[in-house]
Amino acid sequence: MNKTKNIAIVGAGLVGSLLSIYLSKRGFQVSVFERRGDMRKTAEDAGRSINLALSTRGIRALAEVGLAEEIKNVAIPMHGRMMHDQKENLTFLAYGKEGQFINSISRSGLNIVLINKAEEKKVDFFFHHKCHQVNFSETSLILQTDDGALIQRKFDLIIGADGAFSAIRSAMQITDRFHYSQQYLEHGYKELHIPASHAGGFILEKNALHIWPRESFMMIALPNPDGSFTCTLFLPFEGEVSFKTLNTDEEIIFFFQKTFPDAFIHMPTLLHDFKVNPVSSLVTIKCFPWVRNKSLVIGDAAHGIVPFYGQGMNAGFEDCRILDQLLNQLGDNWLEVLPAFQMARKKDTDAIAQLAFDNFIEMRDLVADPEFLLRKKIEAKIHAAYPDKWIPLYSMVTFNDSISYSEAYIMGQKQKIIMDKVMERPRLAEHWQELNLKQIVDQL
């Protein structure tokens, strides 16, 4: 397999397109098969987007294929969370220290850049080619076109980068000793829209991720270059306050007017968006092994996570970078690279899956809580005094790609135990500036 030349990637999404660039740069002949149409010509997933939060791990991978600066030029920096309460009061919480930020970027816009770059590198894309069947022993695919025709192709290697509902992983699931789990949240999400002002500017603070936390549900908004915001409502599918109970125009308007008053006044297309855009589900997917003979799953196909840490894309891009790194270390010997890759990444992707779920609770329930905000202030002060010894969990995950997800998770658990004790101190809100920071840090 160290002579592998002909590689099939199933899935022309973000991870599949980026990986095709990495592999073509190494001299492999890469064919990418996508069941949907070419997104440069059609918009098949309109109304299903959660704007992406591109951070350090993703940027590093893009830099290695020469795209980081081009992407950052069309991204909008978000320096922190802007919380909106029901009385229209605003509270800002920085993501990290000064100069640290995540980047809001359009999923489709980024995907198009990656596909164009891949084609420049002589990658072949085949749209409207659905993976119909996989033969792992022969490393072959049967692909189905829109007119029902079946095409059989044989490859040296097959990589499934076809998302949470991967056809390649589904084929692996019916092989022996394959572990698989999926866990859905009781919440779904719906895309909504806040347009730019009449003058073309931003109605809300431009450089922030906006959150309307409401305990059992929430809405977020991320900025776009045209001055608009892509909003996402996360709401239970069923229950007293849920998608199921919002049916009539009156129910929808009353709910938004009461629950998100400062957003509602800026949403002229609310009724149209709410009725037309679908409700999509949120799922965590884990599986193992990721390898069958000369076939591999990667990205969401191997480890689908909920979007609440903004790391789904970044983790997938880091997959591509780590795989490329192993190819360098092991001289393109895929027989050694494939098992090494899955062993290197499994613990880290399990860790970010748990962190993403935990962060949903934080964003939904805690970011408006004064005690939570005080806790973050104390942690920021500790980090400022001891920057190398105490790094907040969010900063480890988002701004420091030299720390793996699993290492960040373990350190975060230790910090939580220490901070829980700190927060139990009487009258802390009055005296937190007097805390012995060294004593806190030394407990690590």
Side-chain angles (χ1 to χ4, degrees):
M1 284 181 73
N2 58 349
K3 294 187 173 68
T4 296
K5 282 295 178 187
N6 195 358
I7 299 176
I9 296 177
V10 178
L14 296 168
V15 173
S17 299
L18 176 63
L19 183 58
S20 74
I21 300 170
Y22 267 105
L23 295 178
S24 65
K25 285 184 66 175
R26 303 190 72 87
F28 296 115
Q29 182 182 336
V30 184
S31 302
V32 181
F33 300 96
E34 171 58 53
R35 63 178 176 82
R36 296 168 297 183
D38 187 340
M39 64 170 51
R40 295 169 295 183
K41 302 172 184 175
T42 60
E44 294 180 30
D45 281 345
R48 290 181 180 270
S49 175
I50 298 175
N51 264 38
L52 301 169
L54 177 65
S55 56
T56 300
R57 296 172 197 270
I59 291 170
R60 182 173 174 185
L62 290 170
E64 290 192 353
V65 297
L67 283 174
E69 293 309 312
E70 180 179 345
I71 297 303
K72 284 194 285 186
N73 286 339
V74 296
I76 297 178
M78 298 183 293
H79 296 275
R81 301 166 172 169
M82 183 70 79
M83 278 76 75
H84 300 243
D85 70 15
Q86 257 178 287
K87 295 180 180 178
E88 304 186 33
N89 297 312
L90 301 178
T91 307
F92 182 77
L93 180 63
Y95 280 130
K97 57 190 179 184
E98 189 174 349
Q100 289 182 326
F101 53 85
I102 60 178
N103 300 273
S104 174
I105 191 160
S106 156
R107 176 186 296 273
S108 58
L110 175 55
N111 211 154
I112 287 168
V113 170
L114 291 170
I115 292 171
N116 287 338
K117 180 74 169 182
E119 286 188 336
E120 286 177 20
K121 297 293 180 183
K122 309 304 180 188
V123 174
D124 294 319
F125 282 82
F126 299 87
F127 297 100
H128 297 295
H129 279 63
K130 178 182 178 182
C131 178
H132 180 72
Q133 192 174 320
V134 191
N135 187 320
F136 295 117
S137 61
E138 294 184 2
T139 321
S140 66
L141 294 171
I142 295 179
L143 302 146
Q144 185 174 33
T145 61
D146 279 359
D147 60 6
L150 296 178
I151 302 163
Q152 184 165 3
R153 294 276 303 271
K154 190 169 175 19
F155 299 91
D156 297 309
L157 184 76
I158 295 170
I159 301 176
D162 46 342
F165 303 102
S166 165
I168 303 299
R169 191 198 61 242
S170 293
M172 288 183 176
Q173 283 173 234
I174 57 174
T175 62
D176 191 34
R177 293 193 301 151
F178 185 85
H179 300 273
Y180 172 77
S181 70
Q182 64 179 28
Q183 181 179 4
Y184 283 92
L185 289 186
E186 64 179 19
H187 291 66
Y189 71 90
K190 184 184 284 284
E191 181 186 317
L192 302 169
H193 186 67
I194 292 176
S197 69
H198 292 303
F202 292 85
I203 289 173
L204 306 177
E205 165 58 42
K206 173 184 176 181
N207 298 115
L209 188 155
H210 295 262
I211 307 179
W212 289 261
R214 299 298 183 260
E215 294 188 357
S216 64
F217 59 91
M218 68 174 178
M219 186 169 73
I220 65 172
L222 277 72
N224 298 308
D226 65 359
S228 68
F229 287 82
T230 298
C231 304
T232 310
L233 174 65
F234 297 97
L235 195 65
F237 281 99
E238 298 174 333
E240 187 176 344
V241 180
S242 65
F243 284 115
K244 190 174 182 179
T245 60
L246 297 178
N247 298 303
T248 67
D249 291 2
E250 292 75 18
E251 287 168 342
I252 296 166
I253 289 171
F254 178 77
F255 171 72
F256 276 85
Q257 221 167 12
K258 176 186 174 185
T259 313
F260 311 115
D262 58 338
F264 172 77
I265 59 173
H266 300 305
M267 303 174 82
T269 59
L270 171 64
L271 284 176
H272 172 270
D273 296 341
F274 197 92
K275 291 175 181 178
V276 171
N277 292 341
V279 179
S280 301
S281 58
L282 296 158
V283 64
T284 298
I285 288 172
K286 296 180 182 179
C287 69
F288 200 78
W290 297 352
V291 176
R292 278 288 181 253
N293 195 21
K294 293 181 279 188
S295 297
L296 166 74
V297 286
I298 194 169
D300 283 356
H303 48 80
I305 65 175
V306 292
F308 303 109
Y309 225 110
Q311 286 296 305
M313 171 192 62
N314 292 290
F317 282 7
E318 190 172 62
D319 280 354
C320 299
R321 184 181 67 78
I322 297 296
L323 183 62
D324 187 67
Q325 190 177 72
L326 287 168
L327 287 165
N328 284 335
Q329 293 170 4
L330 299 172
D332 285 354
N333 187 334
W334 288 95
L335 283 174
E336 295 182 22
V337 168
L338 293 178
F341 173 73
Q342 67 177 359
M343 294 308 297
R345 289 299 284 165
K346 175 61 175 167
K347 64 183 184 301
D348 290 328
T349 57
D350 283 352
I352 192 57
Q354 185 61 50
L355 287 167
F357 177 80
D358 293 346
N359 210 44
F360 174 50
I361 308 302
E362 178 177 306
M363 292 173 72
R364 185 190 71 185
D365 299 355
L366 301 179
V367 291
D369 180 2
E371 185 175 303
F372 172 81
L373 296 174
L374 175 60
R375 185 184 189 115
K376 292 300 180 184
K377 282 182 184 177
I378 294 169
E379 287 200 71
K381 187 176 182 184
I382 297 170
H383 177 51
Y386 299 94
D388 298 326
K389 293 185 177 181
W390 186 290
I391 306 172
L393 176 59
Y394 189 88
S395 295
M396 284 190 281
V397 169
T398 308
F399 302 124
N400 193 332
D401 60 7
S402 65
I403 300 174
S404 70
Y405 288 130
S406 55
E407 291 168 338
Y409 181 78
I410 292 167
M411 186 61 72
Q413 292 298 104
K414 292 178 181 178
Q415 291 175 343
K416 182 179 183 301
I417 293 168
I418 295 168
M419 285 301 300
D420 285 347
K421 290 290 185 184
V422 171
M423 298 305 294
E424 290 174 1
R425 300 188 186 192
R427 299 172 65 191
L428 182 63
E430 300 170 36
H431 302 295
W432 70 275
Q433 297 274 20
E434 302 159 21
L435 287 169
N436 185 333
L437 303 184
K438 185 176 186 304
Q439 187 182 64
I440 295 170
V441 169
D442 285 347
Q443 294 178 67
L444 276 178

